[in-house]
Amino acid sequence: MDKNTIDILIDKKNIIRPVLFWETNNMNYSELFNASFNLSNKIGDIENNKIIILNNNKITTIIALFAIWFVGKTAVLIDNYNKKNLKSLCNFFETNTIFSDEIEEIEYNNLNLNMFKITVDTSAKKYTENTNYLNCDEAIILSTSGSTNNPRYVVITHKNILITLENLKLRFKINKKTHELVIFPLSSVSSLITQILAVIYVGGSLTLYNDKFIPKKIFNIIVEKQITITGLTPTALNICTRNLDISKYNLSNLEAILVGGEKASREVMNLLSDSFCNTKIVQSYGLTETCGMITGGLIDDYPIESVGKIFDNTEIKILNENKIECKDNELGEIWIKGEQVTFGYYKNSILNKEVFFEDGILTGDIGYIDKFKNLYITSRKKNVIIISGKKIFPEEVEECIMQIPEVKNVVVYNGDTIKKIPQIWAQIELYQKKCPINEIDIMKICMENLPPYKCPKKIILTESINLVGMGKKRRYDI
């Protein structure tokens, strides 16, 4: 196995097969190697162990990432930045070195920062092998906040990444013929590691989508580029099927769509499978803290509402509130252990003590394992609403409301944050503003299909549901 993630590119430095497509452009493996190596030569000798990349979801982010690994440094991907918080971010990560391709557009005066313009020079230069990069264990620091606004920074090592890449190669059968569409931000673990690095690892190709979430445009790209695999959240994919006539698209090359990021019900998964007759729709599961996917795959079949079996070199348990292992089909918190599990959050010892337990991680996700060792996700622990001692999973209420044909999307959450008395609220987006259904009708349908204590106390009709970057529903700060 390679010792450092940069080796997956060095091994392909003479390959002229295309690796990246974006807009009307493309780049082959040799050009990606040259661009990354040439940029690394501009860095020189710097004292900082970490280098910040101001991510703009373009190919320059990938080039800068490999360039940083060439010189044996740790990359820090930052999405949301401005003049006010950039200096504090540099102080937090103990660096003043930054990569950006938009230097002219940002005011850095008086910040005393060492700025590098990301240039794309694909000309071949003499490459002298330098193994100094092997001295750096930490590959990248990514932020994770799920559906909240409070980012935590996860430290991912080269070992974490390389173990994950080999798992993905085996479980999802990706190879040189794979052409994957990357839709969501490059700073997410699913896009960066599960898709981009995994496909580069096997020598395949990638198309980068860098636009607003427009279902029609996405599926036109899938057809035009002959995409073989892509990934979406169930919410995002459901929006696609409800806005498009999928049967009109030639998806003969699309082998699989990986569904993850949030829970998907059996009803939604069946609907998606029916919409994509010749494409395999599979759920998978993973976290930034587990360096991406740790379950599922295309090598075996499992129930459509399950996220599949755990990877071979990973251990999983379902723990109750006393951290005692649950029996089959018994709900509890998911605990994961394995070499791809990261060792902690950057500068957050308090959270590390709460989350990391017995050399594994308490995920905060609620689920269970059946007798065949398939994993099922029920909810996030923090999403659960407790009313009169009874636990309500918002996803269950959402599944009921989504059965209403006029409903385009819904998010259920604890709405009363003032009196501190838990209440179920539902924010609903309809297909049409002038719709023949109203709040009373929706409430009636809920009463007919749910126990009274699970029915929303309040229903709010809205023009759009607020989704976070990965297409997940935001249940907080609504």
Side-chain angles (χ1 to χ4, degrees):
M1 180 181 288
D2 294 324
K3 301 296 184 181
N4 186 290
T5 315
I6 191 63
D7 289 327
I8 71 174
L9 183 59
I10 294 175
D11 293 343
K12 301 173 182 65
K13 63 180 181 294
N14 296 319
I15 296 176
I16 58 173
R17 185 171 60 251
V19 57
L20 292 167
F21 295 85
W22 72 101
E23 297 174 349
T24 60
N25 307 298
N26 67 79
M27 178 177 287
N28 63 40
Y29 276 94
S30 180
E31 290 171 332
L32 178 59
F33 171 86
N34 291 337
S36 302
F37 177 67
N38 292 339
L39 183 61
S40 73
N41 288 331
K42 292 185 177 181
I43 299 175
D45 295 327
I46 60 171
E47 295 182 359
N48 301 140
N49 292 323
K50 299 175 181 64
I51 299 177
I52 291 175
I53 302 175
L54 301 182
N55 176 46
N56 59 5
N57 292 316
K58 295 179 182 179
I59 187 176
T60 46
T61 294
I62 301 173
I63 293 171
L65 183 63
F66 280 118
I68 291 170
W69 288 340
F70 262 119
V71 296
K73 304 295 182 179
T74 302
V76 182
L77 257 64
I78 299 296
D79 275 321
N80 300 313
Y81 57 86
N82 53 50
K83 185 177 180 180
K84 292 182 179 180
N85 72 357
L86 193 55
K87 186 63 177 180
S88 62
L89 284 169
C90 289
N91 292 336
F92 179 69
F93 290 110
E94 300 178 10
T95 183
N96 69 342
T97 306
I98 295 176
F99 268 168
S100 172
D101 66 353
E102 299 176 341
I103 291 178
E104 293 83 2
E105 299 178 17
I106 306 173
E107 298 180 4
Y108 294 110
N109 295 335
N110 303 320
L111 293 185
N112 191 30
L113 299 177
N114 186 18
M115 301 296 303
F116 285 94
K117 173 79 171 179
I118 303 176
T119 55
V120 183
D121 176 9
T122 60
S123 61
K125 302 288 195 304
K126 183 179 179 180
Y127 171 65
T128 303
E129 187 173 1
N130 184 347
T131 58
N132 288 337
Y133 63 81
L134 295 175
N135 298 324
C136 180
D137 294 326
E138 297 178 2
I140 192 167
I141 298 177
L142 297 177
S143 67
T144 176
S145 58
S147 54
T148 73
N149 284 321
N150 302 311
R152 305 178 298 275
Y153 295 97
V154 181
V155 182
I156 299 175
T157 67
H158 288 287
K159 183 178 181 180
N160 293 148
I161 294 174
L162 292 171
I163 290 172
T164 297
L165 300 187
E166 183 64 17
N167 283 339
L168 294 171
K169 173 185 173 181
L170 298 175
R171 299 287 299 193
F172 291 92
K173 300 190 293 187
I174 55 176
N175 52 51
K176 293 179 181 179
K177 295 181 180 179
T178 297
H179 189 166
E180 190 149 352
L181 175 62
V182 182
I183 297 174
F184 291 120
L186 302 188
S187 57
S188 69
V189 70
S190 58
S191 293
L192 183 63
I193 297 177
T194 302
Q195 293 187 290
I196 294 172
L197 295 182
V199 171
I200 292 175
Y201 180 67
V202 299
S205 57
L206 299 140
T207 289
L208 306 181
Y209 180 82
N210 187 19
D211 201 347
K212 295 179 180 179
F213 187 81
I214 306 173
K216 185 177 181 180
K217 184 172 183 177
I218 289 172
F219 275 83
N220 283 338
I221 292 174
I222 290 175
V223 174
E224 178 188 345
K225 298 294 185 181
Q226 299 182 353
I227 300 298
T228 62
I229 188 170
T230 191
L232 287 163
T233 63
T235 297
L237 190 53
N238 200 22
I239 290 173
C240 291
T241 59
R242 286 170 173 255
N243 283 275
L244 302 173
D245 183 354
I246 301 298
S247 64
K248 292 184 178 180
Y249 291 86
N250 179 8
L251 303 178
S252 57
N253 291 292
L254 188 61
E255 300 171 4
I257 299 178
L258 308 183
V259 179
E262 58 185 5
K263 180 184 182 295
S265 67
R266 173 190 284 269
E267 290 76 16
V268 169
M269 289 300 293
N270 282 330
L271 174 64
L272 296 176
S273 294
D274 291 341
S275 299
F276 297 89
C277 301
N278 300 313
T279 300
K280 193 167 185 179
I281 309 294
V282 295
Q283 291 200 72
S284 59
Y285 173 72
L287 310 166
T288 304
E289 293 87 340
T290 61
C291 199
M293 291 182 190
I294 53 164
T295 75
L298 301 176
I299 62 174
D300 50 19
D301 293 323
Y302 47 91
I304 196 167
E305 69 271 28
S306 167
V307 296
K309 291 181 173 60
I310 199 80
F311 289 172
D312 292 338
N313 53 4
T314 310
E315 182 183 355
I316 186 170
K317 293 180 182 179
I318 306 297
L319 305 180
N320 63 20
E321 293 178 353
N322 297 317
K323 293 187 173 60
I324 297 174
E325 189 170 4
C326 298
K327 299 177 181 179
D328 289 348
N329 300 309
E330 185 179 350
L331 282 176
E333 184 173 3
I334 299 169
W335 172 89
I336 299 167
K337 178 181 178 181
E339 289 187 297
Q340 71 273 55
V341 175
T342 58
F343 61 77
Y345 300 105
Y346 182 73
K347 290 186 178 180
N348 200 332
S349 58
I350 295 176
L351 188 59
N352 286 337
K353 290 179 181 179
E354 293 177 3
V355 171
F356 292 90
F357 170 72
E358 293 187 352
D359 297 324
I361 181 172
L362 293 166
T363 65
D365 289 318
I366 303 298
Y368 64 93
I369 298 174
D370 66 16
K371 63 180 181 180
F372 301 106
K373 304 306 177 185
N374 295 306
L375 177 64
Y376 298 77
I377 308 298
T378 302
S379 183
R380 286 288 292 168
K381 189 176 180 179
K382 62 187 177 184
N383 291 349
V384 177
I385 304 170
I386 301 176
I387 298 178
S388 301
K390 297 179 179 179
K391 294 182 179 180
I392 296 98
F393 299 115
E395 294 85 354
E396 183 180 356
V397 183
E398 291 171 354
E399 289 170 18
C400 174
I401 296 175
M402 284 300 295
Q403 300 303 310
I404 304 172
E406 292 85 356
V407 173
K408 182 177 182 180
N409 203 358
V410 57
V411 58
V412 172
Y413 58 100
N414 182 6
D416 192 346
T417 58
I418 299 177
K419 297 180 180 179
K420 304 299 181 182
I421 301 175
Q423 287 187 358
I424 303 174
W425 289 15
Q427 192 176 91
I428 299 172
E429 178 184 356
L430 302 176
Y431 274 105
Q432 299 176 2
K433 292 182 180 179
K434 295 181 179 180
C435 204
I437 196 169
N438 56 34
E439 294 93 328
I440 297 175
D441 298 325
I442 296 172
M443 187 71 75
K444 183 178 179 181
I445 292 172
C446 290
M447 293 295 292
E448 291 173 351
N449 293 277
L450 293 170
Y453 71 92
K454 292 184 179 180
C455 292
K457 188 79 172 177
K458 184 176 182 179
I459 289 177
I460 305 167
L461 298 183
T462 181
E463 292 185 359
S464 63
I465 297 293
N466 187 16
L467 302 178
V468 294
M470 282 294 294
K472 297 180 183 179
K473 297 174 181 177
R474 185 186 297 280
R475 301 184 190 277
Y476 311 94
D477 304 319
I478 295 180

